[in-house]
Amino acid sequence: MTDAAKPLLALAIGDPAGIGPELAAQLLADPDVRAAADYVVIGDARVLRRGADTAGVVIDLPVITSGDAIPPGQTVLLDLGHLDPDTIAVGVAAKAGGAFALENFRIGLRLAADGKVAGVCFTPFNKAAMRMAHPPYDDEISFVAGVIDVHTPASEFNILEGLWNARVTSHVPISAVAGMITQAAVLRGIVLTYESLRNAGIEHPRIGVAGLNPHAGDGGNFGHEDDGEIAPAVAEAKARGIGADGPYPPDTVFVRATKGQFDAVLTMYHDQGQIAMKLIGFDRGITMLGGFPFPICTPAHGSAYDIAGKGIANLGASKAAVLLAAQMAGRFVGP
Amino acid sequence: MKPLALTMGDPAGIGGELTLLTWLRLHESGPCFVALDDPGRLERLARDMGLAVPVQAITDASTAAEIFPDALPVLPVPLAVPPIPGQPDQANAAAIVASIEQATKLALAGEVSGVVTNPINKAALYQAGFAYPGHTEFLAALTGATGKQIMMLASPMLRVVPVTVHASLRDSIAMLTTEMIVAAARTTATALRRDFGIAAPRLAIAGLNPHAGEQGALGSEETTLVQPAIDILRAEGIDVSGPWPPDTMFTAAARTRYDVAICMYHDQALIPLKTLDMDHGVNVTLGLPIVRTSPDHGTAFDIAGKGVADPTSLIAAIELAAMLVR
């Protein structure tokens, strides 16, 4: 890839009381990360400098103060001058920290929505801090939809060493799940999964679709959704040429996936996927928000208040997240 | 040492070949077991499958230990018709049931140390008039067990007890009560003390909803059902913790903090168990006056007689039963 073809990504600094600043600094010091894309780093120069000091790296970037005129072909710091790190206690959720992370993210999303950057990455947020700053904050998906005013179906994908997981329902009470498992919702999930993997360069994604009930319904003994809703959605996806299969018994679909049978597993509810992914090694993985006009990637782990400021944060997941965003940015087909 | 009793299961399923393969694996090292089966059919099966397993019919379980290193000891339970792999036959239902009955009687009489059951096909038994929902209820009736029996699944990495089992996700949630959680946890705590030799078992109680409900934002059952159960159990002196967010309670670090996870529905228990260790899961029935384990797979009619069945889970079930009766 020539420099001219390098995508430009927004890199928003996350919660300043956690490992977000030091991870941002580590990312900018990483030659693979720098080779894959140019970045508009969004935050406060003082916070980034503090992160660089913690990480033991030196980051010296041209500074801009507005996203209106981004110089091409280089990595720059968009210094919003909105947070003095001395006002933030390491490892403590604070309203000012939440507001800082939200504002950085919001500006990154606006730059992407305006076509000035090709994707958005962010280092970890702290949900408690974000809710102090913005009480209605629900999750990243709804925040993004609000900021860029795009309300097409979207899903959080968790990606670990090449295995993708998306879910049909997410942050809802489990008593509400079965009523939401309709043929249309499952088909939407399959199509969104298919398109997101294609955007990541997987030409013919193999998608394993989990059942809803024990033993995927056990031939109709345990609920009607597996035969009545999920199976017809899988059949329709197949008819459209998508490599989907299922419904598989929920307790073994990830065993199949880890043996290499699928590129992605579509689960029906939050814990069906999250229990398995966290055992496989989720915290080393990436979260990608799919269904928006540009890729949005972040490490799956949190802001790690217990190790913040010690310079021992592991870069692996953040680096993988940024590299995935760079890879997707070049080929992205939005909704 | 007294042998374990191993039942026949459905003779059209993989039980017979698993019995033979398990003897091949264990006959030198033990644990010793006696099959409650048709000796002629096991001999034929061994011959057909090319397995070098000498079969010896015995009349008294006390001779099993002596024979076990050299031959598979079998207490005869004659079949009505020769079984055909993959084709369950109602004519053999009486023998399938008799094998379970005799094994249980021997355990109650102290002639065997515990019972390990091969898989049965319930549909075939129902047609023959079998009136119990499954093995567990039948064993409870045979042993006169009082109280509630529950299923625990155990692997070397994790023990789980699902409070609701074979029902749709929707029905499992609708039927869940504080009383069910309390009853399952009590039975589990007693069994871990008595059979597993854990003096003060630590029980981790799962939440039901994502993030354990997130203070009510994602569901309220943690507050209305699970926490009251925890309060009752704690008042009884049982070491319980929770309600835990279901997706983080099974990680390696979290597992060091409990001996068993009490789970609210089937897949909440089975997903972590199988993702961590697909092959070594064993079913243990808690709340019976006898030790009973079984492999965590079914009759597998589709592969019966083809020489591809894997005895790992049955071997694990026998080894766990032997550990529990010690």
Side-chain angles (χ1 to χ4, degrees), chain A residues 131 174 213 225 278-279, chain B residues 169-170 209 214 247 250 267:
Chain A
R131 285 192 176 148
I174 197 154
N213 294 300
E225 296 89 351
K278 289 194 177 176
L279 290 180
Chain B
L169 184 67
R170 188 194 297 265
N209 292 295
E214 216 169 89
D247 60 341
F250 300 106
D267 286 332

Side-chain angles (χ1 to χ4, degrees), chain B residues 233-259:
Chain B
L233 293 161
R234 205 166 271 156
E236 294 175 6
I238 298 175
D239 182 349
V240 287
S241 62
W244 294 107
D247 60 341
T248 52
M249 69 180 287
F250 300 106
T251 60
R255 293 200 307 274
T256 63
R257 297 194 285 268
Y258 59 82
D259 299 302

Side-chain angles (χ1 to χ4, degrees), chain A residues 76-104:
Chain A
V76 297
L77 170 63
L78 175 49
D79 182 5
L80 301 173
H82 57 337
L83 187 75
D84 177 351
D86 285 341
T87 63
I88 293 292
V90 173
V92 181
K95 184 176 176 182
F100 170 83
L102 271 175
E103 180 65 1
N104 298 342

